[in-house]
Amino acid sequence: MTDLTQFKRETTEWLEANCPASMRKTQTRSEGVFGGKKFTFPSDDAKLWFDLMVDKGWTAPQWAKEYGGAGLSSDEAKILNKEMDRLGCRKPLIGHGLWMLGPALLEYGTEQQKLEHLPKIARGEIRWCQGYSEPGSGSDLASLRCKAEDKGDHYLLNGQKSWTSDGDKADWIFCLVRTNDEGRKQEGITFLLFDMETPGITVRPVPLITGESHFCDTFLDNVEVPKDQVVGDVGKGWSVAKALLVHERTMMADIEKNMPKPKFSVDDYAKNYLSTDENGRLQDGLIRDRLAQHMIRDEAIKLTQRRAFEEGMAGDFDMRVATIFKYIGTEEKTNKDTLITDILGMAGAGWDTDNFSEDEQTKTHEWMSNKALTIAGGSSEVQLNVISKRALGLPEI
Ligand SMILES: Cc1cc2nc3c(=O)[nH]c(=O)nc-3n(C[C@H](O)[C@H](O)[C@H](O)COP(=O)(O)OP(=O)(O)OC[C@H]3O[C@@H](n4cnc5c(N)ncnc54)[C@H](O)[C@@H]3O)c2cc1C
């Protein structure tokens, strides 16, 4: 028996023996495990599953053991992922630390920073948020003005960050600040890490159309950050920021895989909510056509992602594909949400009332909130600009 065959057998046996039955069911967004000091587990099984996976190092399977991972090879990690998918096991932990900061720290962090932060991310002890955008600096991120003054052993921060997702729930923030005003705007940006409890930070949640409050405005007023919390070189934070965005866009392109699994597929909705003819075909030809188009595009995206993943594993990863996948993945996701809403008809307008099922209400919320996916991490228009310039080599207009 080869090592990988044995690894697969042992992995399957372990998952079957240890993953609680309730952790193999589809989950709602509110059941996602984000970790952190303020986090409350949605159930005892979620906590048990999380603890068991943390002990195995399987929350971050490919990270080295000293960083809280399991040190799996890419082939072993692939087997683990596939088996978890096959058995329907939930992700034991999700969030900015695992998806974005961790991979960026592995590339740019000092050994001390890796040892300090990666194990806490893998063990879900610290929840992270992202302090990139500012009022007037979203798409044009490099124009950011949040100021960091050099005060010898520390920086003194003043300014405002906007759209900070879950800033009120996070323990630490990775943040872009301006340490220098001279030269190109990309120069003089520094990548900093700091505790959200540091004096001078005020976080204000922003209420949204969905009724939730996912974003925050984050105000920095004379916030002191020690200099050893700079990641990468001072004034070279733009490189770290861009590397992290590649991980963010890769995660967002494959958002469905990275988030709790939906209860029903789009064709389940069509079968349950629309009438069919005597051969079981959907009677509405327009919806039938849109459904077929969606399924073809969805399959094509998945296959292309798999090809890019395999190429990446073979050491041939092209950073530009993250932008392409971010664009097509999030556009197709919102296209799918609109299709489901149209299939549901009036039931797709469910809003906190006894007249709609829980799932119908969830779908209405998702249809509204998932539109944001084509904006977060860089809007679709900006991705198209990047693709035209970097991937296709077209001239700028
Ligand atoms: C769900 C969600 C979560 C987010 N979470 C975070 C977070 O945690 N931390 C954080 O720092 N930020 C976060 N953001 C902010 C996000 O990065 C910005 O919204 C995004 O970069 C766009 O910036 P903006 O909102 O300022 O829009 P603007 O830059 O003002 O753009 C407005 C419109 O103009 C278009 N546009 C702008 N420039 C161009 C151009 N050159 N060519 C063509 N069209 C253009 C855009 O596509 C958009 O349609 C989040 C956003 C969303 C929606």
Side-chain angles (χ1 to χ4, degrees), residues 8 38 41 52 89 95 164 199 228 245 252 273 287 308 324 367:
K8 183 173 175 199
K38 301 171 197 159
F41 281 87
L52 288 167
C89 306
T164 323
D228 62 359
L245 278 174
M252 290 190 66
Y273 283 83
I287 292 281
I324 297 171
W367 173 65

Side-chain angles (χ1 to χ4, degrees), residues 96 100 129-141 161-167 174 208 214-215 245 248-249 252 369 371-383 385:
H96 284 41
M100 303 180 209
C129 62
Q130 179 183 35
Y132 276 26
S133 307
E134 295 178 10
S137 301
S139 300
D140 184 15
L141 182 61
K161 292 288 167 185
S162 47
W163 305 115
T164 323
S165 298
D166 297 324
F174 49 90
L208 302 180
H214 164 77
F215 299 114
L245 278 174
E248 179 173 5
R249 288 171 184 166
M252 290 190 66
S369 60
K371 287 187 184 304
L373 296 175
T374 61
I375 304 170
S379 69
S380 281
E381 291 81 5
V382 167
Q383 303 312 297
N385 284 347

Side-chain angles (χ1 to χ4, degrees), residues 191-204:
F191 192 104
L192 278 181
L193 310 176
F194 52 93
D195 191 329
M196 292 295 276
E197 298 272 303
T198 314
I201 303 177
T202 309
V203 178
R204 277 199 210 133

Side-chain angles (χ1 to χ4, degrees), residues 64-81:
K65 288 188 178 160
E66 65 268 34
Y67 302 151
L72 297 192
S73 68
S74 56
D75 281 338
E76 289 169 334
K78 218 155 81 181
I79 290 172
L80 172 63
N81 273 336

